[in-house]
Amino acid sequence: MARDGGVSCLRSSEMMRVGIGGMESQPLDLDEVHVLAVDDSLVDRIVIERLLRITSCKVTAVDSGWRALEFLGLDNEKASAELDESSSFRQVPVVIMSSENVLTRIDRCLEEGAEDFLLKPVKLADVKRLRSYLTRDVKLSNANKRKLPEDSVPVNTSLPPPPSPFTISPDSSDSSPPMTISPESSDSSPPLSPLEISSSPLSTPIDDEDDDVLTSSPAPEESPARRQKMRSPLD
Amino acid sequence: MDTLVSQLQRQFRDYTISLYHQGFLDDQFTELKKLQDECSPDFVAEVVSLFFEDCEKLIGNMARALDQTGNVDFSLVGSSVHQLKGSSSSVGAKRVKGLCVTFKECCDSQNFEGCVRCLQQVDIEYKSLKAKLQDLFSLEQQIVQAGGRIPQVDI
């Protein structure tokens, strides 16, 4: 069984647009990033929450993938049916946090479409780095948009296998082209991809032990995932 | 003249350094301190307190699982060890984390005696760390009460 983490961020405006429950009404701050942090460890939840708050993210922390779905309003048949049509959730970046520094697994998660990978224990510098490319004015061009396996959505990349229609096909990795983000885009861009961080067990394809998956979006000159791989294992 | 504050500050500095040098704490504890500020002045103390509660709970789970003589579910023990390893890593409890690595290996190889030994060691270790951190936090309080600032200690 896996003990993985992940982070999802939604801009407040994004959250309201897709009708996320539990949002108190407030003036829209388009630069504010709302992170959904999922981790089954209370200690880790507290730490990641603080890390994110200190880097000016709004944070909602939940203790399981199911609660994450609940929070996102995706925990019912109707929502899942509507989800296929909506592109908003497909743009939610998912970042995985894990203590396992296994390159094959990290690669797999990146291939499956996760945005970034944070090796646990997560440090302030890791979260700052994440934050810095979230607030850049970036645009996902349609051509580069992640192709997802049928019936799967990015928010579930790091979640336990829910009942259909959210099942993630184990063979999906080949069909997912890498996502590119072009920071130079200056025209009226769609809102920045929301980001989800979750620390819940990975879906079965990747999982047998604790697989932490963090994927980083291929930001220019940066390869956060590569940099992470260079870090020496903690153990 | 060596004031009370400077004495306490020196004690605090020396004690902190020794905790790192003796391997009780690692870099991640330093990271936690970065997250503490005027708005969250007790952040570290709160997190470690949660950690020690976690230790108690998980060690209890492991003990119960190991107590099922002849029918020990090593994967259950292993899963608690994994959780403990994770949270000890997150707070910088270096020795506890190190013991968890060994403990996990014993679980994976279904080594009952090894597991029992590891459980005892983990129990001793987290309690020892708890006592030391309580002393450290107490020193901080004394410094503040004596009107001083808690020094930044570079390891």
Side-chain angles (χ1 to χ4, degrees), chain A residues 21-22 29 39 67 90 92 96 100 117 126 148 186 204 208 219:
Chain A
D29 174 3
D39 200 318
R67 293 232 195 278
R90 287 169 182 269
V92 176
I96 311 285
E100 291 289 311
F117 184 101
D126 297 328
L148 295 161
S186 53
T204 38
D208 57 75

Side-chain angles (χ1 to χ4, degrees), chain A residues 1-4 98 100 102 104-105 108-109 161 200-213, chain B residues 75 78-79 82 104 108:
Chain A
M1 94 203 79
R3 293 278 181 268
D4 303 311
S98 175
E100 291 289 311
V102 179
T104 47
R105 287 170 178 272
R108 183 68 193 278
C109 292
S200 48
L202 266 188
S203 55
T204 38
I206 303 172
D207 160 35
D208 57 75
E209 257 288 311
D210 350 90
D211 201 12
D212 301 317
V213 179
Chain B
S75 69
S79 118
H82 176 72
K104 190 70 167 54
D108 292 343

Side-chain angles (χ1 to χ4, degrees), chain A residues 148-183:
Chain A
L148 295 161
E150 211 159 318
D151 296 332
S152 78
V153 288
V155 302
N156 292 322
T157 308
S158 55
L159 297 172
S164 61
F166 293 108
T167 42
I168 296 184
S169 149
D171 303 316
S172 63
S173 53
D174 294 344
S175 63
S176 314
M179 166 142 54
T180 44
I181 291 183
S182 73

